[in-house]
Amino acid sequence: MCFFVRFAPDLWSVCCVWNIFPAQHFLFFPAAAWGHSPSCRSERHNRLRERMRTKTMKQKENKKHTWGRKVLSLAVLMGMLFSLSACGHEHTWVDATCTEPQTCSECGKTEGEALGHTWVDATCTAPKTCSVCGETEGEALGHTWVDATCTEPKTCSVCGETEGEALGHTISEWTVSKEATCSEEGEETGTCSVCGETVQQTLEKLEHTPGEWVVTTEATSSSAGVRTQYCEVCGEELATEEFTLSDEEIEEQYKENCTEYSYDTIARDPDEYYGTYGKYKGEVVQVLEDGDDVQLRVNITEGKYSYSDTIFVFYEKKDGESRILEDDIITLYGINMGTVSYESVLGATITLPCVYAAYIDIA
């Protein structure tokens, strides 16, 4: 209440005049204590005070204090004090930061202190930095480089960051400790002239020595064969491929599969040799041509002066081949087909061994 009287003497007087608060509840200070001289009191004030005292005396006599009025008066007075001493609104606080205390966003009132920065020490690449707001101070420390060696690149001794590559060993002379082959790697040893370390390195395998192709599955005139190539040194399989026969190879293979039979053999037991491959040499005694289809009668048993014992031959001439003439000496290769019969000019039935020739060589 002293605060109120000190800063609002006029209001105190009005309260007393209106009988808002009994005068005996106030502390009265001399005017000098308020910072005023006695001359500042007007007669009006004195009259008001006198009237107040008179009323107070009457109230004491009547002893009829109304406490409800006291409470109401106190509430009004406190409200007036609040209006003089505060903002008159509920603060909207903004949290304190590293550099600012908690602050009301409406009136700007502050409370407490700024939090202060939470510093993280500077590193090689970043300055001293606040972990909360990100503010920095000073500069990065920079790397502390250790020179590259034979086995390690240039390296920062603080953070471990590297730059460039290791220098590598300097070997002036190598000694072979194990020779390389086409199946195993070799090894050689040397000493580094810079760091003195003994270094070993691997010698690459030697190239294989390819050998001849080996046929593992024979080719025929109608199907491909398979052949494999091996290393002559270690025997490792190097390659496998399919292959087909050329026309010359097919012919050569066919002729190799043919067997020389005598006339008596195929004439006496034609069924037994039916479908076998035969080879015959003889003299052509008759030629019948119908386009490329040729029928021959050939004597295949060689005598002292001439050939005898006739067989009947069917042959399909190939493009570019020469004609076969009577009295030609030929070698034929073909399939034994049993016997064939035909009627002679005199009406007799003639039966001869029969061959379907695939190839005919003219001597």
Side-chain angles (χ1 to χ4, degrees):
M1 299 304 296
C2 297
F3 177 85
F4 178 78
V5 175
R6 168 66 180 82
F7 291 99
D10 291 338
L11 182 60
W12 170 82
S13 299
V14 171
C15 291
C16 293
V17 172
W18 289 349
N19 198 24
I20 295 174
F21 211 88
Q24 67 267 26
H25 294 289
F26 290 88
L27 297 176
F28 297 96
F29 296 94
W34 298 354
H36 300 280
S37 64
S39 61
C40 71
R41 295 184 180 181
S42 65
E43 293 180 3
R44 177 172 174 271
H45 289 167
N46 292 331
R47 289 196 299 271
L48 290 173
R49 294 181 63 188
E50 188 63 30
R51 288 173 63 184
M52 179 199 68
R53 288 175 181 174
T54 301
K55 275 193 172 187
T56 302
M57 294 300 294
K58 290 180 179 181
Q59 289 171 350
K60 286 181 178 180
E61 291 175 0
N62 295 331
K63 296 182 181 180
K64 294 179 180 180
H65 292 156
T66 304
W67 291 102
R69 180 180 292 179
K70 291 180 181 180
V71 174
L72 179 61
S73 298
L74 180 60
V76 172
L77 182 60
M78 293 301 292
M80 295 173 68
L81 287 171
F82 181 79
S83 66
L84 292 173
S85 61
C87 298
H89 69 88
E90 183 178 352
H91 290 297
T92 303
W93 293 111
V94 177
D95 292 340
T97 65
C98 296
T99 56
E100 298 293 336
Q102 181 177 246
T103 305
C104 177
S105 62
E106 295 187 20
C107 67
K109 182 177 180 179
T110 62
E111 184 175 278
E113 297 181 354
L115 300 177
H117 292 296
T118 303
W119 293 111
V120 176
D121 292 338
T123 66
C124 297
T125 56
K128 181 180 178 182
T129 305
C130 177
S131 62
V132 178
C133 67
E135 184 173 334
T136 61
E137 184 178 282
E139 297 181 353
L141 301 177
H143 293 295
T144 303
W145 293 112
V146 176
D147 291 340
T149 66
C150 296
T151 57
E152 299 292 336
K154 182 180 178 182
T155 305
C156 176
S157 62
V158 177
C159 68
E161 184 172 333
T162 62
E163 184 178 281
E165 297 179 355
L167 302 177
H169 293 294
T170 302
I171 309 296
S172 58
E173 184 177 354
W174 291 97
T175 301
V176 176
S177 55
K178 179 183 178 181
E179 293 288 350
T181 67
C182 59
S183 58
E184 291 186 352
E185 295 176 335
E187 188 176 83
E188 60 183 0
T189 304
T191 301
C192 178
S193 60
V194 177
C195 66
E197 183 177 341
T198 299
V199 181
Q200 292 181 333
Q201 70 177 15
T202 300
L203 297 175
E204 293 183 356
K205 292 180 182 180
L206 301 178
E207 294 291 331
H208 288 291
T209 304
E212 296 292 332
W213 287 97
V214 177
V215 175
T216 54
T217 301
E218 292 288 349
T220 66
S221 58
S222 59
S223 62
V226 178
R227 57 190 177 190
T228 304
Q229 190 177 48
Y230 299 91
C231 175
E232 290 183 347
V233 177
C234 67
E236 182 178 339
E237 182 179 312
L238 304 181
T240 298
E241 65 178 13
E242 287 189 343
F243 69 98
T244 57
L245 299 177
S246 65
D247 291 341
E248 291 76 11
E249 289 174 328
I250 292 174
E251 180 178 348
E252 180 180 356
Q253 186 185 74
Y254 189 96
K255 291 178 178 179
E256 288 177 353
N257 289 332
C258 292
T259 302
E260 292 189 29
Y261 294 106
S262 67
Y263 175 83
D264 289 342
T265 299
I266 60 174
R268 190 179 302 278
D269 299 302
D271 293 338
E272 182 178 345
Y273 294 95
Y274 185 93
T276 59
Y277 291 86
K279 173 184 177 181
Y280 306 96
K281 181 179 180 180
E283 180 182 6
V284 178
V285 295
Q286 186 179 28
V287 179
L288 296 175
E289 294 180 324
D290 184 8
D292 290 334
D293 293 329
V294 181
Q295 296 179 11
L296 305 173
R297 286 199 309 152
V298 181
N299 292 338
I300 63 169
T301 301
E302 185 176 4
K304 187 174 181 180
Y305 299 105
S306 62
Y307 288 87
S308 61
D309 299 330
T310 306
I311 63 173
F312 198 92
V313 179
F314 293 95
Y315 179 64
E316 183 177 352
K317 189 173 63 174
K318 299 175 179 58
D319 292 340
E321 282 188 333
S322 300
R323 293 177 63 215
I324 300 174
L325 303 176
E326 293 180 2
D327 298 329
D328 283 340
I329 302 300
I330 63 172
T331 302
L332 62 94
Y333 305 85
I335 301 176
N336 296 314
M337 300 298 293
T339 60
V340 63
S341 299
Y342 63 92
E343 189 175 338
S344 69
V345 176
L346 299 177
T349 299
I350 300 174
T351 300
L352 299 176
C354 177
V355 177
Y356 278 84
Y359 300 96
I360 294 180
D361 296 332
I362 302 175

